Amino acid sequence: RGTFCCHVEALTQQRSDGIFTLTPDEPTGLFNATIGGMGLTGIIMRVTLRMIKVGSLDVDEVLTPFASLDEYFEQAEAADCNNEYAVAWLDQLSGERGVLMTANHADNGNFITGSHVPKLQIPFKLPFNALNKWSLKAFNTAFYAAKKRKSGKRVTSNYQGFFYPLDAVENWNRLYGPRGLFQHQSALPEVNAKQTIRLMLGAAQRADQASFLTVLKRFGSIQSPGLLSFPQPGFTLTLDFPNRGEKTLKLMQELDDLTVAAGGRVNPYKDARMSAETFAASFDDWRVLESFRDPVIVSDFWKRTALKLPKNGNESNFSELIQSVESSVS
């Protein structure tokens, strides 16, 4: 169904130079810059969204274990075509095995949200990283075995468990210890995806880094209207690594390099360390967003990346665009 951007019908935005009501067909390009603009074009005050009608808050889920990436890629397109949702979990430490999870909205009329009570909790901040290679190997083995026992069976459950599995553990982030985590998410063209994902998993293993939650999804072919939208046709791989300082940062840069070499892009919306060069290689239109950026708004990310790059593109100034449109209308 495309990205979130595809379902925004209108928005009202406050900028330092005025308040604007924007729709997808507005001529300046500010709408597209805003819905894929990292919050830099102004403050969104109101949004009109087009939603899909569902028959329940429950989902019917089917689990399909796979032993290799070859098996996953053989099923991925059909899984997307035949289901509303499809996502795969990878056991990053074992090689290539994982579980493909597909789901559709149930039609049982259950719209009771209930109260969300986590099954487990981490009651205090741990002084160490509990997510080491050995603990994750044990967890991954148990998780894979549990999912394999349910293989092929349709299970109806509340939407929260499918869409937000980490919420089952309150304060789950404390498992990473006091230094937290780095997340790396890449979008890869379909032609290079399988090979690149293998290289990325291999790089993590060589670096002796264990990813707690490794997720693989297929993006569809619907073009996102957002100026700096992250998704592109192909696949996306997400890896979460405990922050082990320079060793982890070196791995993250290697994953960046593999992504860019494959013609992909690194997700700036989840980033805490991407270089300006990686950002520019991932998003050709960053200069256009800079031209739309509200002059009184800037982020640490933008300072670290875009504002360190040469601004010698063909971008236009937003105020000039507004004046041009007003002149043509009058």
Side-chain angles (χ1 to χ4, degrees):
R1 296 182 183 270
T3 66
F4 174 84
C5 303
C6 296
H7 307 276
V8 179
E9 295 191 338
L11 62 87
T12 300
Q13 179 183 61
Q14 181 166 359
R15 291 173 53 92
S16 59
D17 51 0
I19 296 177
F20 301 88
T21 297
L22 307 171
T23 58
D25 57 356
E26 63 88 23
T28 69
L30 181 59
F31 178 87
N32 290 352
T34 297
I35 57 174
M38 306 183 71
L40 295 171
T41 64
I43 306 300
I44 298 175
M45 304 168 64
R46 183 183 179 93
V47 175
T48 302
L49 284 174
R50 182 174 64 255
M51 311 290 283
I52 64 171
K53 185 177 182 179
V54 300
S56 172
L57 291 181
D58 294 336
V59 294
D60 294 329
E61 181 182 7
V62 176
L63 307 176
T64 307
F66 54 86
S68 68
L69 283 176
D70 290 333
E71 283 188 30
Y72 165 76
F73 277 90
E74 288 171 0
Q75 304 173 64
E77 184 173 1
D80 270 3
C81 292
N82 298 328
N83 299 279
E84 191 69 49
Y85 308 104
V87 59
W89 166 84
L90 287 178
D91 182 355
Q92 174 254 338
L93 293 173
S94 74
E96 297 184 356
R97 73 176 180 181
V99 180
L100 175 60
M101 296 169 275
T102 57
N104 294 284
H105 294 284
D107 198 25
N108 58 15
N110 177 28
F111 292 100
I112 300 175
T113 57
S115 59
H116 174 64
V117 180
K119 297 178 181 178
L120 301 170
Q121 65 172 313
I122 312 300
F124 53 86
K125 295 181 180 179
L126 300 179
F128 57 89
N129 165 34
L131 299 173
N132 55 55
K133 181 171 64 176
W134 310 111
S135 63
L136 284 180
K137 276 188 175 181
F139 170 81
N140 288 353
T141 299
F143 184 85
Y144 183 79
K147 297 299 184 183
K148 193 171 183 179
R149 286 195 293 269
K150 300 178 181 179
S151 176
K153 300 176 182 178
R154 190 178 74 170
V155 178
T156 300
S157 59
N158 190 263
Y159 73 96
Q160 293 173 331
F162 182 80
F163 291 110
Y164 313 110
L166 283 178
D167 286 358
V169 181
E170 188 174 8
N171 296 317
W172 58 267
N173 56 295
R174 292 177 176 174
L175 291 170
Y176 286 93
R179 301 179 75 176
L181 75 147
F182 285 111
Q183 182 174 101
H184 191 278
Q185 185 175 12
S186 55
L188 302 164
E190 187 163 359
V191 65
N192 297 323
K194 182 163 55 173
Q195 177 186 3
T196 305
I197 289 168
R198 281 191 168 127
L199 291 173
M200 296 172 83
L201 294 176
Q205 291 175 353
R206 287 193 307 275
D208 196 30
Q209 296 272 355
S211 170
F212 173 42
L213 190 63
T214 305
V215 176
L216 179 58
K217 291 185 282 192
R218 180 178 181 271
F219 284 143
S221 59
I222 299 175
Q223 184 68 35
S224 174
L227 182 61
L228 260 61
S229 281
F230 165 68
Q232 64 180 32
F235 291 83
T236 178
L237 176 70
T238 305
L239 300 132
D240 292 338
F241 298 107
N243 178 8
R244 296 167 63 187
E246 190 60 35
K247 187 174 183 178
T248 307
L249 290 171
K250 183 178 178 181
L251 170 62
M252 299 290 280
Q253 183 60 54
E254 184 176 358
L255 298 178
D256 285 357
D257 294 342
L258 288 169
T259 300
V260 171
R265 56 180 60 148
V266 180
N267 191 350
Y269 297 85
K270 297 183 178 182
D271 177 72
R273 29 64 51 198
M274 184 192 306
S275 69
E277 292 73 22
T278 297
F279 175 63
S282 297
F283 295 92
D284 294 335
D285 290 333
W286 70 266
R287 291 185 181 89
V288 181
L289 180 58
E290 170 62 13
S291 72
F292 281 107
R293 179 171 64 87
D294 191 299
V296 301
I297 295 178
V298 71
S299 64
D300 287 343
F301 174 88
W302 205 248
K303 293 176 184 177
R304 172 164 47 87
T305 56
L307 296 187
K308 289 188 176 181
L309 294 165
K311 299 174 180 59
N312 56 357
N314 297 318
E315 65 275 9
S316 300
N317 182 273
F318 173 68
S319 60
E320 294 176 355
L321 285 170
I322 288 290
Q323 293 173 9
S324 173
V325 171
E326 289 176 346
S327 299
S328 63
V329 171
S330 60

